[in-house]
Amino acid sequence: MIVCSCNVLTDGEIKSCLDGSASAPRTAAEVYAALGCAPRCGRCATTIRSILKDHAVNCCNDDSACDCLPSRVVQKETADA
Ligand code: FES
C-alpha cells in the first residue's frame, strides 16, 4: 500500500527500514532520510508515525533483543498514563 504518494513509499518499504537496530529510524523525518527522500506535503507523517508505534508494540515491547527507541517511547507513554 502506498503510504507517501509524494515519494511513492509503501508501508513495506517503511517497515523494512525498522530493523530493530540502534540506528533504525525513530521519527517520520528519520524514515524519510533512511529511504533517501524528504517530506514534501507531509500528509503521510501521521501514518508513518502510526507504523513506527505499531512496530514498537509488535517488535520489542519486552525490551530483550531489540534496540528500538520507539518501544521505549511507547513504554514511557504507557507508564506515564
Ligand atoms: S504524501 Fe508523503 S510527503 Fe506528501
Side-chain angles (χ1 to χ4, degrees):
M1 172 183 76
I2 298 288
V3 171
C4 175
S5 55
C6 294
N7 291 300
V8 194
L9 298 178
T10 66
D11 56 338
E13 289 172 305
I14 293 167
K15 290 173 186 172
S16 72
C17 71
L18 306 178
D19 60 5
S21 69
S23 61
R26 298 167 184 155
T27 65
E30 290 178 0
V31 168
Y32 298 120
L35 295 172
C37 58
R40 294 183 191 170
C41 75
R43 283 183 315 201
C44 58
T46 299
T47 304
I48 292 174
R49 282 193 290 271
S50 176
I51 291 170
L52 285 167
K53 263 195 164 176
D54 287 349
H55 166 78
V57 168
N58 294 321
C59 172
C60 45
N61 59 10
D62 65 358
D63 207 25
S64 57
C66 184
D67 199 18
C68 293
L69 184 59
S71 68
R72 298 195 175 104
V73 171
V74 169
Q75 288 173 350
K76 179 168 178 13
E77 288 175 353
T78 303
D80 291 346

